[in-house]
Amino acid sequence: MTTTLIWIAVALVAVGLYLSWTAGRLDRLHARIDAARAALDAQLLRRASVAQELATAGVLDPAASIVLYEAAHAARQAVEEQREVAESELSQALRAVFGEIQQVEAVREAPGGEEAAEELAQAVRRVPMARRFHNDAVRAARALRRHRKVRWFRLAGHAPFPMAFEMDDEPPVALADRAA
C-alpha cells in the first residue's frame, strides 16, 4: 500500500513537472511573439516614415508623391483591425511608384537622395523578414496550443490566441535589386 502511494505521488510529480515545463514553453513562445510583433511594428513604422519623408522631399513627380504620401500616412494612422490592409496598400503604392529603375535613379540624383534611396531599400527589405519571424513564432505557438494537454489543463491561461500578420510585402523590383 505504501509503495503504491509513493509511485502515485512520483507519477503526479512527474506529470506536474511536465505540465509546468509545457506551460513555461508556451509562455516563452508568447513572449517571443510579443517581441517579434514589436520588431515588425518598428519595421513597418520605419518603412512608412521613410516613404512619407521621400514623398514630401520634392524628388518625385507630384502624382507619385501624392500616392506615396497618402498610402504612407494611412499606414501610420491605421487602427489595429485595418493595419494589414493599410500596409498592403503601402506596398502596392511603393511598387507603383518605384516599379521602374528610372524613378529610383531620379531619387538618387537629388541632393540627399542616395541615402534616402538606400534607407527605403533597407526598410522595404526588412519588413518581410520581420513579418516572417513574427508569423513563425505564431505558427509555433498555435501548434503547441492545439495539443490536448494544453487545452485540457488550460496551460495557455487567458492569453489571446496568436494571430499571424498577413499582408502584401512584396518589394518593388527596382528597390529589391538595390537592397540585395
Side-chain angles (χ1 to χ4, degrees):
M1 177 75 170
T2 308
T3 55
T4 305
L5 289 175
I6 291 173
W7 281 112
I8 290 173
V10 168
L12 288 175
V13 167
V15 168
L17 287 172
Y18 178 71
L19 291 175
S20 174
W21 176 80
T22 303
R25 181 172 167 225
L26 189 57
D27 187 51
R28 287 188 300 276
L29 282 171
H30 283 137
R32 190 172 123 201
I33 289 171
D34 290 342
R37 182 58 190 242
L40 175 61
D41 286 341
Q43 291 305 322
L44 291 171
L45 181 62
R46 180 173 181 244
R47 180 181 77 152
S49 297
V50 171
Q52 203 170 20
E53 185 177 310
L54 205 63
T56 59
V59 294
L60 300 172
D61 63 84
S65 292
I66 291 171
V67 167
L68 193 57
Y69 180 83
E70 286 181 356
H73 181 70
R76 289 183 72 179
Q77 302 298 320
V79 294
E80 192 60 35
E81 295 80 29
Q82 298 297 319
R83 184 93 188 268
E84 293 172 351
V85 173
E87 294 294 345
S88 293
E89 288 173 354
L90 177 56
S91 295
Q92 293 167 1
L94 285 166
R95 280 197 307 273
V97 172
F98 294 106
E100 301 290 326
I101 193 72
Q102 294 84 2
Q103 191 73 331
V104 177
E105 293 301 322
V107 169
R108 287 179 59 206
E109 291 171 1
E114 182 68 34
E115 294 83 20
E118 186 63 35
E119 191 174 359
L120 184 61
Q122 287 177 4
V124 164
R125 184 190 54 183
R126 288 179 180 162
V127 166
M129 288 189 300
R131 189 176 75 85
R132 196 169 313 120
F133 289 142
H134 175 266
N135 288 349
D136 286 346
V138 167
R139 198 171 302 114
R142 281 180 166 184
L144 185 57
R145 286 181 71 155
R146 277 192 217 105
H147 288 230
R148 272 188 231 135
K149 64 182 176 258
V150 173
R151 290 193 318 264
W152 287 353
F153 293 102
R154 301 189 196 293
L155 298 181
H158 296 289
F161 195 74
M163 300 301 291
F165 194 86
E166 297 300 332
M167 64 171 271
D168 174 10
D169 60 4
E170 184 181 335
V173 176
L175 287 175
D177 292 342
R178 182 156 177 69

